Amino acid sequence: MRLHLKHITPFLLLTASRGIYGFAIPTREANTNSTGSTTKVLVLGGGVAGVIAARTLHEQGIDDFVVVEARDELGGRLQSTLFGKYVVELGANWVQGTQTGNGPINPIWTLAQKHGLETHISDFYGSLRTFDETGEVDFVDVYNEAVDNFDSYVNYAGDRLSKELVDLTARSMYDYIGKKPRTAHEMGAEYMNFDWEYAQTPLQSSGIATARNSNLTFEPEAGGFSDVDMMSIDQRGFKTFIQQEAESFLQPEQLRLNTLVNNVEWSDSGVKAVFSDGSSISADYAICTFSVGVLKNNDVTFIPDFPDYKVEAIASMTMGTYTKIFLQFPQKFWFDTEVGNLILPFIKPISNSIMVVHTHTVWTLRRF
């Protein structure tokens, strides 16, 4: 099926995610001496969504486009850095869901294999040791029960969706089916199954949307890929798969790095992106792949503003945040399992105004 641009809206919004080894394609410098240039399609953002949007245009015979990226390389939140002697990932780190049999394949996994990305399977639940304030305590069975509880919640969410019932928070759905954690171990197990996976608490999360996300990623019977998580340990960086994919079709004149978008003017007659250096590019169409975080924080001004339904959708989504802490030791002293989980239960007040209520720590261990 061919892509005919005259049949699509002048401004397409894709809400998408946003080193040591750089991207080899040369790029033209930001043009500060001219008032602007023109192209057929502007692709705003050079993360995975932006690169694949550009590739799709190319595959459909549309090569009059420009990809605009604020950073000095493509990849969005795929960012890596040197830590000691090794490259580690500051952002995304896993291919979540690969393929089951001849079923659907995760397109990220396709690209990872195509570009020879080195990965390591993460056995989060089959290779786990657990600890609390007394030291090592085996409550893996509680984690297994938490997995079952999550499955029960997902089934209930699907039932509500099929009956066209109103959405609830995931916390409300858990509680409704009687899956409410009460002990410190149960809370920690639910945390690893939910909060750690989605970067939000069940109380902050849509019950139906989260369940659909899980199904469409991990459950082949529901249209997903597989329950396998592949961790990138490639010393070129996880970003390699999308940068090499871009290198396979992008030409220098189609890429503009180090270009920060200040505002986007759009109408039925076209789109104009104005950059921080005063230059601009006008186009017949634009595909916006800025992350939810950029859109929510109004880092780019859209003139006119989006329609109410888009503003409402952006306002209703929250940008999840993960904190990564890398530690390097001169020698291996830890156990051989992939994952460790530390649960610190309720602690007495340390002052009249300060109390440590509950702490969960999850760490993954890897020896290079």
Side-chain angles (χ1 to χ4, degrees), residues 228-273:
V228 174
D229 290 298
M230 300 300 295
M231 178 181 180
S232 172
I233 57 172
D234 198 302
Q235 291 302 286
R236 298 170 297 173
F238 193 16
K239 61 194 175 186
T240 296
F241 79 84
I242 198 64
Q243 291 182 345
Q244 289 194 353
E245 185 65 16
E247 192 174 10
S248 69
F249 69 91
L250 268 184
Q251 300 302 312
E253 65 273 13
Q254 295 173 319
L255 178 61
R256 189 159 167 170
L257 299 175
N258 297 303
T259 303
L260 185 65
V261 179
N262 273 0
N263 56 70
V264 178
E265 304 167 15
W266 61 287
S267 67
D268 289 341
S269 60
V271 183
K272 179 181 179 181

Side-chain angles (χ1 to χ4, degrees), residues 9-40:
T9 180
F11 191 88
L12 176 62
L13 175 67
L14 302 177
T15 54
S17 298
R18 246 291 283 167
I20 303 309
Y21 300 93
F23 185 35
I25 293 180
T27 177
R28 59 185 178 194
E29 295 296 322
N31 185 357
T32 58
N33 298 318
S34 63
T35 57
S37 55
T38 61
T39 189
K40 187 73 173 179

